[in-house]
Structure formats: C-alpha cells, structure tokens
Amino acid sequence: MSLTLHNTLTKGKQPFTPITPGRVTMYCCGVTVYDDCHLGHARSYLGWDVLRRYLRWRGYVVHYVQNFTDVDDKILNRAKAEGTTMAAVSERYIERYFEDMRRLNVLDADEYPRVTEHIGAIHELIGQLEAKGYAYGAEGDVYYQVGQFADYGKLSGRSQSTLEAGASGRDLATTAKADPADFALWKGAKPDEPAWDSPWGPGRPGWHIECSAMIRARLGATIDIHGGGGDLVFPHHENEIAQSQAASGKPLAHCWLHNGMVTVNGEKMSKSLGNFTTIRDLLDGRWAEYPQPVDPMAVRLFVLQGHYRKPLDFTKAAIAAALSNWQTLKAGLLFGDRHGANLGWPAPTSAPSSATRQTGETPWVERFQAAMDDDLNTPRALAVVFELAKGLQREHNRLTHGGDTPENSAQLCQQWQTLVDLAQVLGLEADLMAEEQTGAGLDDGAIADLVQQRQRARQHRDFATADQIRDRLAVVGVTVVDQPDGETRWHRQ
RNA sequence: GGCGACAUAGCCAAGUGGUAAGGCAGAGGUCUGCAAAACCUCCAUUCCCCGGUUCGAAUCCGGGUGUCGCCUCCA
C-alpha cells in the first residue's frame, strides 16, 4: 500500500516516492498580504495542512515551506490609500493570516519566506536566466522569453501557438515584450514606488520569480510536492517551471497538486468579483448567509467532506449541516475525556497535534489509510471517523442520559484512541475545557439547586414552573433529562 | 473561441465492471405531564439523457444536455 497523489503534470494519480526516502519537501504558494484571507484560502491551506499531517502520520519527515508575497501592486495600492508603507500593510496581514489559520487549526509551516528577504536570490536567478539566453531586458524591465523554453505549457496543457492566439483582448501596445506570452521577471521602478537596486536598474521582482527563487533558496532545485490553488496552474506555476527548470536544468517539483475552487451559492468567489467572504467574517457570524458564529472545526469538517480537487460550494445549508456533523464528532472525541476515568481507562493518550501515529493496525486504521492513500480521499476517510464517533456518541448518550455502563469498555477505549488519532490527522480536535465553558455563570451547585426546584414543582404538578426552570437552564446550555424512574439528570450541552 | 473539470436520494458525499459507504435532514415507534434530549426502526430497484460493449455498467466506449473553472489579478 502506498500513497498515490494526482499530479497535474501527468494528469493522473501516481505513487508518491520522495526524492530522499523518508523525507518530503513541499512548498505551497502562500498569500499576497494585502487583505484578510477568504474562504478560498481556508479551503486551500486546510487541504495542504491535512496533506502535511498525513505525511507525518505516515512516518515521513516533512519540510513544509509556504511563502508570503509582500511585494505587489495591491499591497502598494493599499499602502498608498492608507498613507502608510508596503511593509506596514504586509506585516498587518501576515499577523492576521496567522490568527485565522490558527483558529482553523492549521499547523504552522516550517518556514515562511518573504519576497523582501530574497531580493538577492531573485537577482541571482534572473542573472542566470539572462546568461543562458532565457531572459532579455527592455526599457528597464526584464522579461522571460517563453519561446526559448521547449516545455512551456506542459503543466497547464496548452501549446505556445494557442497562447499567442489567445492573447486577444489584451492591450499589447503598452508593453515592451518581444512576444505577448513573455512575462516580467523584473519590473523597472516607476516614480514614487518602492524599488530595489539591481543589475538592470532599480525596480522590483515580477510575480512568478519569487517562488522560483525562494524554493531554490529554502528547499533546493527539485522538491517533492508543490501545491496551490487550481487558478495558479496558469500562468503562475507554468512560469515557475519555466524559470526554475531553465536555470537549473532539473525538474522543479515531482508532484504538482492543485485544489478546486470555492464557490458561494454556486457562484465563483473571487476578489475581483468582490463577493468574497473572509475567514474571520464566517467564523465570527458576519457572513450574510449564516449570520451566527461558526465553530472553526465545523468549517474544517465541511471543507474535508469534499475532495480537495473538486469545487466546494459554501451554502447556508452546508454550513448548518457541518455544525451538526461536528456535534456528533465532538461527542466521540470527548468521550474518553469525559468518561475515561470513570471507566478505569489509562490516563489519556490522546495525541497532541502533529504527532505521528498513535494506534496500531486495526480495520478502522486500514480503511482510513486506504482512503487517504487514494489521493487524500478525505470524504471516504471521514466515513471511518464517523463510524467510530457514532458508536462513542451512542455510549456517551447512554451514560449521560441513563447511567448505563458500557459492557465493552476495553474495546471502546481502543475505539476512542483510534478516533482521536485519526481525527487528529485531519486536524479535527475537540477541547473539553472549552466545552465546559458552556453554561458559564452558573456553577454546578446553582444548577443542581434549580434542578431540585424543578423537581419539587413537578411533584406538585406545577408544570408551568417546571418548564420555566428548564427553559432557563437551556438558555445557558444546560440540558435536563427526566428519567423514567423519576430522577432528573442534567448535563452541559 | 481555446483548454479542462464535474453531473449519484431533500442536502453534502463515497463508489473506477459484480449488483448503491458515511454524514446531515426527514418519517414512524419507545420513553415522557408535555416538549426537548435519548434509544430502536425506516429512508436511492437506482446513479443527467440516448445509444453501444458485456453474462453483468453508476462504473468502459460513442453522442447529447447541463453546471462550473482556467485562458487577465486571484488559493
């Protein structure tokens, strides 16, 4: 059994074999830091996070690099509008990127290189391309000569003749390019713009060269996995390949992974259309479609319920369903924390984030792994997770509502540990402490008092009062359950 | 116009030649003063349409239709 991944380069699934056995180098295109991250970013980085977690669980040592593009027209425009600097804008949105991703339980990458830290490396790369005849200067700009690179178009599946024919609609009069398909490696500085000195005069890097330069600087000429959104296949990744491979003579990445696009109510979500929703708006209840706070884990679950290469449609109904799904899964994940001690289970062995495999081979684990090995089929993997969670949820409910002690405690313990381990691979983790916050404002004694009062009312058949108390408790997240024997149990939601 | 992806129950979704996983929602029942919760049971003779291959197809081939994406900044 081995991991297979869909490689955009070969347009099919292929077994994953790292260059160095046991080690994986992966790079994913990061954000341009001029605004808050949106649902598309969430989908994308959640996906790569799961890939990274899974590779670790599979026993690989993963070196994961994700860049921040901190030189760009959009950042510049924002800085101008705010009367501040590009660096200040970048810094702010980098910070907010981390806030958003950490809420979604996306693990930090190993390195976050920035364009501004790699100007030297970019110069070096452009210099090499120039020396090898792949680049030419024109009016202070430096362009990549696409016609010189025989493999151009291999990733995105387009021929050079197609590209030229498809250049219609673009205003070519203003560019100094020799060929419409050529693209900028270095852009000459315009007045009043930040610029770096270079052998070609002051200016700044073109859009694609940064990634080529940073990959080489941080990971080497050839990496195992390069990921990004499907919208980056062309031109961004095509151009990265052209730059890197022309310079090194080696393949840039063995496996190219691309995630599907996000839509909202069936419509494309994009910055240019202005219909995008930010991650924090969704989580904080500021999404018009679902104006209530959304548990980040439910978002994670929602994203993982679809395959990473397929389109993902955010709808009100889908988010609502994901929240219900998460309730079920959470009940399973917290089972051991809640009942383990009472059942005499050994101290919690739940694995911290990013840990490698905690459980042995079981049918559950085998099915989970088979699903994930098949191009990260998280929907299928989640079926296994839910089967485990459902069983535990059922036992939890029996314990909570009826006090029945499970007969198969040892087996249950194993199921719980397996569930926690597998869910962790998907980044799905529940926090008992956070759960117990529900009903804050009323301590156990106060709740017990109210339950007592309600019991007395019921005994006097004063159901109006009894129901009033029940409603009051429900508001603070406490559920009361009347037992057949007349006893009343309560628990926090 | 060029390139590509996808079409499975109310919704999300798995399935890649052997007779439709899983979740959500829903229905009925048990329990209950009642409601919520809980528990049990049920919930696609059928996989966009039309042909074809096959003993057998959601799964393969051909042709339609529809939706979406990329080709320009975008994860």
Side-chain angles (χ1 to χ4, degrees):
Chain A
M1 268 204 315
S2 72
L3 171 63
T4 60
L5 295 171
H6 178 94
N7 189 349
T8 307
L9 209 49
T10 57
K11 289 164 186 53
K13 291 181 199 174
Q14 61 188 53
F16 174 70
T17 313
I19 299 162
T20 307
R23 307 185 86 86
V24 178
T25 46
M26 73 185 252
Y27 179 92
C28 296
C29 287
V31 286
T32 300
V33 281
Y34 74 103
D35 201 353
D36 283 332
C37 289
H38 54 64
L39 302 180
H41 295 119
R43 198 272 166 90
S44 192
Y45 299 123
L46 234 33
W48 309 135
D49 181 57
V50 168
L51 169 60
R52 195 252 200 116
R53 286 170 182 265
Y54 184 61
L55 288 167
R56 283 183 169 187
W57 185 76
R58 273 303 230 117
Y60 293 105
V61 174
V62 182
H63 191 173
Y64 177 31
V65 176
Q66 184 183 319
N67 69 294
F68 283 122
T69 297
D70 60 351
V71 178
D72 179 87
D73 282 342
K74 293 186 289 292
I75 307 172
L76 196 56
N77 290 339
R78 183 134 202 162
K80 278 180 185 165
E82 293 181 5
T84 181
T85 63
M86 199 154 72
V89 171
S90 298
E91 206 54 51
R92 176 165 79 239
Y93 287 109
I94 285 171
E95 230 168 84
R96 290 168 74 89
Y97 167 88
F98 282 120
E99 287 170 13
D100 292 340
M101 291 302 153
R102 285 170 186 159
R103 285 177 79 181
L104 291 171
N105 203 20
V106 170
L107 298 174
D108 285 0
D110 297 303
E111 299 183 49
Y112 289 99
R114 305 180 189 189
V115 180
T116 51
E117 297 166 346
H118 290 78
I119 300 295
I122 288 169
H123 288 165
E124 196 184 319
L125 185 53
I126 297 175
Q128 284 171 8
L129 289 171
E130 199 176 35
K132 291 191 174 187
Y134 288 99
Y136 59 94
E139 300 170 23
D141 298 335
V142 180
Y143 292 101
Y144 186 96
Q145 195 166 1
V146 166
Q148 287 296 103
F149 188 66
D151 277 347
Y152 196 79
K154 207 166 83 178
L155 180 74
S156 56
R158 49 195 93 197
S159 64
Q160 296 206 22
S161 55
T162 304
L163 286 165
E164 285 167 36
S168 61
R170 270 187 272 173
D171 183 11
L172 304 174
T174 58
T175 169
K177 290 180 197 176
D179 184 297
D182 292 349
F183 56 91
L185 296 170
W186 188 259
K187 296 174 174 174
K190 292 175 193 141
D192 300 329
E193 281 185 2
W196 286 262
D197 284 331
S198 85
W200 309 277
R204 55 202 167 95
W207 174 30
H208 317 292
I209 195 69
E210 49 180 290
C211 285
S212 286
M214 289 190 279
I215 290 171
R216 189 166 74 166
R218 301 298 181 111
L219 294 170
T222 302
I223 61 175
D224 292 304
I225 295 170
H226 189 132
D231 52 346
L232 295 180
V233 175
F234 186 89
H236 187 55
H237 290 163
E238 195 69 71
N239 292 351
E240 274 185 48
I241 290 173
Q243 295 162 341
S244 296
Q245 297 192 11
S248 71
K250 296 171 187 164
L252 173 57
H254 282 167
C255 187
W256 286 83
L257 264 30
H258 292 97
N259 63 268
M261 296 293 98
V262 158
T263 54
V264 176
N265 291 326
E267 269 198 322
K268 177 197 177 182
M269 191 193 72
S270 74
K271 290 183 179 178
S272 57
L273 288 181
N275 69 341
F276 70 94
T277 302
T278 65
I279 293 170
R280 55 186 64 206
D281 279 351
L282 174 67
L283 297 182
D284 295 337
R286 287 189 303 271
W287 184 39
E289 289 292 317
Y290 196 90
Q292 293 158 53
V294 176
D295 190 316
M297 283 297 126
V299 175
R300 197 168 176 112
L301 193 49
F302 168 63
V303 168
L304 266 24
Q305 265 167 341
H307 184 87
Y308 78 93
R309 283 195 291 118
K310 287 195 175 182
L312 182 71
D313 193 26
F314 274 80
T315 62
K316 175 186 178 166
I319 292 299
L323 282 160
S324 294
N325 281 319
W326 173 237
Q327 289 301 118
T328 297
L329 183 49
K330 191 164 64 179
L333 288 172
L334 293 175
F335 185 90
D337 301 304
R338 284 172 163 151
H339 307 291
N342 290 337
L343 295 172
W345 291 1
T349 56
S350 56
S353 288
S354 81
T356 52
R357 177 194 308 247
Q358 293 295 304
T359 43
E361 294 297 324
T362 67
W364 308 106
V365 173
E366 279 170 27
R367 285 170 58 208
F368 177 87
Q369 184 170 321
M372 292 297 283
D373 274 352
D374 184 14
D375 194 30
L376 305 174
N377 194 328
T378 51
R380 214 167 91 203
L382 276 171
V384 178
V385 168
F386 268 96
E387 282 174 35
L388 285 163
K390 274 279 183 178
L392 289 160
Q393 183 195 37
R394 185 165 47 242
E395 291 308 326
H396 166 245
N397 288 331
R398 282 180 177 151
L399 279 161
T400 307
H401 293 273
D404 302 334
T405 306
E407 295 164 8
N408 48 349
S409 177
Q411 192 192 332
L412 222 48
C413 183
Q414 194 202 16
Q415 275 187 30
W416 176 63
Q417 288 176 351
T418 303
L419 173 65
V420 170
D421 184 44
L422 299 185
Q424 169 270 132
V425 176
L426 302 175
L428 295 163
E429 296 168 39
D431 181 357
L432 184 62
M433 295 299 278
E435 283 308 298
E436 304 288 287
Q437 299 293 317
T438 312
L442 284 180
D443 60 29
D444 287 9
I447 293 167
D449 266 4
L450 284 165
V451 170
Q452 282 265 295
Q453 284 177 38
R454 175 167 173 276
Q455 274 297 73
R456 279 196 290 274
R458 288 180 73 215
Q459 277 153 16
H460 296 120
R461 303 196 67 78
D462 178 5
F463 296 120
T465 303
D467 292 351
Q468 216 172 8
I469 294 172
R470 182 167 60 192
D471 290 346
R472 190 176 151 195
L473 286 166
V475 167
V476 295
V478 173
T479 306
V480 296
V481 183
D482 301 325
Q483 304 292 128
D485 60 9
E487 288 290 303
T488 292
R489 303 168 65 91
W490 64 269
H491 62 91
R492 295 176 199 273
Q493 199 174 32

